[in-house]
Amino acid sequence: VSGAGIRGKENAHTGKYKKKRKFTLHDLKTKFEKHEVVTTLQCAGNRREDLHDKDHKIFIAPHWVVGAMSTAKWGGVKLRDVLEECGINVDDIALGKEEPPEGVEHIQLEGYDSDETGYTYGGSFPFVKAVDGLGEVILAYEMNGEDLPRDHGYPVRMIIPGHVGARQVKWLHKIKLSNTPSTKSYQCKSYLGFAPDITFEKDLAHWPPARLDQAPIIHEQPVTSFVCNPPQNAVVGMKGATDFTFKGVSWSGGGRQIQRVDVSVNGGDSWTASELYKPIEQKYNHHWAWTQFSKTMALPEEVQEKLKRGEKAELNITSKALDSAFNVQPSVMAPYWNARGIAINHWYHVKITLDPNLPKGEIIRSEPEEGFANTPSGGHFDRKWAMGGWKLDPQHNTGMRETAPPAQKVENE
């Protein structure tokens, strides 16, 4: 931990204190009180593929569908306790009685992980979140009651409840108090919210663009929800059935509570409220964890008639959540489309087929020969997908299991 205001060991020669402190994993486990928090982590670009079509191109990876979101119980030590140990008066700063030392506004983070060039991952988040007594920012060394798994950042990762996953750095190596945000590209380039008319080809291919001041960095995410069960493109057995059950998850950034999730089986032409389920209690503006929703509802009469005739029927299921600030999901992406593909929260549509000849409740997942069943909200990928990547070149339409190299052009001597 380094930066403004940090009080480290005294230099025996100068009598001054170093602005740096080091803590081992053993120090964190033995010198500080353990704190646990249940929180949802979602990638800033979850559902990014929904913003990529023939008219709108997203030149940043990965192109998530809806899978970049999860919830866990994290255990560790509060960052504010560590900062207090370093000499920061976190209580008075949090109460507004004292200004942060030397104008500190940001907590910069760096992980041990790096790309092939040696460039390490990192980011930053607001200092006021770190010192907030109810902010619950922790240096996590446990996940769901066990040692933090390697894939989730062992030995220590930062957990910042209510914030985007990109800021919650794994394999944490350094913490720095600063008056500027991190200069890592993952902070100052990749996760900026540009206006809908800004495109990569026209504006972002050469850096910096003309109006960076109009592209804020994302920290807290907008309200969202999506149906998880049945899965996208599934066939659902409905023999003798007149009603239908589906389930999903909803969440809002910044600790805002999910107050209601409305659902529709006709693509949003009509709506009704679902039932909410959250097995843990969380306080006002500290609803860090997602809320599950479910609904059993009678099928539309025209669908029931079709099933009675032994015919299959199609449903277009969607949802829209309302949070405690009365934010609600937009119906389409047009008002907020952005070239970085972040903060995606328009209605997610799950298209399924009801089969009157299969036992009620039986679900047959879509298993295409290539690719995977979970598709964008429109129900298909813009380009055909193979396990090895996008099939852009017809000459090399190969999956990752096909090991034969492409034909090489031989020049005539």
Side-chain angles (χ1 to χ4, degrees):
V1 183
S2 64
I6 299 300
R7 185 180 177 89
K9 293 183 179 180
E10 184 178 6
N11 187 302
H13 299 289
T14 65
K16 296 181 179 180
Y17 288 90
K18 297 179 180 179
K19 291 186 176 183
K20 180 181 292 187
R21 288 288 300 272
K22 291 185 178 181
F23 297 92
T24 66
L25 180 59
H26 183 262
D27 290 336
L28 297 179
K29 290 184 174 182
T30 58
K31 293 184 177 182
F32 301 95
E33 181 180 351
K34 180 182 174 182
H35 182 77
E36 293 183 328
V37 58
V38 178
T39 184
T40 292
L41 272 64
Q42 179 178 225
C43 177
N46 195 25
R47 293 183 59 194
R48 182 173 281 141
E49 181 60 25
D50 261 326
L51 268 59
H52 181 82
D53 59 28
K54 61 184 179 64
D55 298 316
H56 307 83
K57 300 300 181 184
I58 301 293
F59 291 89
I60 190 170
H63 278 213
W64 296 112
V65 186
V66 292
M69 187 181 190
S70 65
T71 299
K73 180 174 72 172
W74 307 89
V77 302
K78 289 184 178 181
L79 176 58
R80 74 187 312 271
D81 291 346
V82 175
L83 294 177
E84 186 174 42
E85 173 67 18
C86 292
I88 303 296
N89 191 352
V90 293
D91 287 337
D92 283 354
I93 293 173
L95 292 172
K97 295 180 178 180
E98 181 179 313
E99 291 296 318
E102 301 179 39
V104 168
E105 295 184 7
H106 306 273
I107 300 285
Q108 295 186 12
L109 309 170
E110 183 177 307
Y112 278 109
D113 53 321
S114 63
D115 63 17
E116 62 274 16
T117 70
Y119 189 74
T120 55
Y121 187 85
S124 61
F125 68 100
F127 176 76
V128 292
K129 171 70 175 176
V131 299
D132 182 356
L134 298 176
E136 298 191 272
V137 178
I138 67 170
L139 298 163
Y141 50 75
E142 286 184 1
M143 179 181 176
N144 293 330
E146 300 179 355
D147 286 344
L148 194 63
R150 183 178 64 178
D151 287 351
H152 289 276
Y154 180 88
V156 173
R157 79 174 295 175
M158 188 66 75
I159 293 295
I160 313 167
H163 283 225
V164 297
R167 304 289 165 259
Q168 308 192 45
V169 175
K170 302 177 185 179
W171 309 290
L172 189 62
H173 174 43
K174 294 178 182 178
I175 301 172
K176 182 180 179 180
L177 279 64
S178 174
N179 56 11
T180 61
S182 170
T183 57
K184 295 286 185 181
S185 62
Y186 316 103
Q187 177 85 18
C188 64
K189 289 185 179 181
S190 301
Y191 296 99
L192 303 181
F194 290 97
D197 62 332
I198 300 297
T199 68
F200 179 84
E201 304 98 315
K202 176 172 63 73
D203 305 287
L204 306 182
H206 300 282
W207 199 265
R211 295 298 302 273
L212 267 176
D213 61 307
Q214 295 180 343
I217 297 172
I218 186 171
H219 289 289
E220 298 178 1
Q221 290 172 292
V223 61
T224 192
S225 69
F226 40 84
V227 171
C228 304
N229 188 12
Q232 184 75 268
N233 297 318
V235 177
V236 181
M238 296 296 291
K239 190 172 184 177
T242 58
D243 59 23
F244 176 72
T245 300
F246 51 94
K247 303 175 182 179
V249 294
S250 56
W251 183 73
S252 190
R256 292 177 286 276
Q257 183 181 14
I258 296 298
Q259 301 281 24
R260 194 179 74 235
V261 178
D262 299 329
V263 293
S264 170
V265 295
N266 54 18
D269 290 339
S270 60
W271 299 88
T272 187
S274 66
E275 302 299 326
L276 303 184
Y277 172 70
K278 188 174 183 178
I280 61 171
E281 293 289 333
Q282 294 188 309
K283 298 178 181 179
Y284 175 75
N285 272 0
H286 293 80
H287 285 265
W288 313 127
W290 63 21
T291 298
Q292 300 173 40
F293 66 90
S294 64
K295 185 66 177 180
T296 298
M297 58 190 300
L299 294 169
E301 289 186 9
E302 63 273 17
V303 173
Q304 292 190 41
E305 290 300 321
K306 203 170 185 179
L307 295 176
K308 287 179 182 178
R309 295 194 299 267
E311 302 173 10
K312 295 180 180 180
E314 309 292 327
L315 285 187
N316 182 343
I317 314 169
T318 190
S319 63
K320 58 180 177 71
L322 175 79
D323 70 15
S324 51
F326 270 67
N327 299 308
V328 68
Q329 294 175 250
S331 59
V332 294
M333 71 174 181
Y336 73 88
W337 186 91
N338 62 92
R340 289 308 197 200
I342 61 170
I344 302 99
N345 74 325
H346 61 284
W347 304 348
Y348 182 74
H349 295 264
V350 173
K351 298 178 180 180
I352 64 167
T353 301
L354 305 181
D355 191 334
N357 300 311
L358 293 176
K360 181 182 179 181
E362 181 176 337
I363 295 177
I364 301 177
R365 295 175 176 269
S366 173
E367 298 291 348
E369 292 184 5
E370 294 179 326
F372 48 94
N374 195 10
T375 63
S377 191
H380 64 277
F381 289 102
D382 185 42
R383 304 259 186 175
K384 189 175 182 181
W385 172 267
M387 292 303 292
W390 295 112
K391 289 193 166 184
L392 297 179
D393 183 356
Q395 183 181 355
H396 302 136
N397 264 357
T398 58
M400 64 188 301
R401 290 184 177 85
E402 298 179 24
T403 57
Q408 299 294 316
K409 182 179 179 181
V410 179
E411 299 289 345
N412 292 326
E413 294 183 358

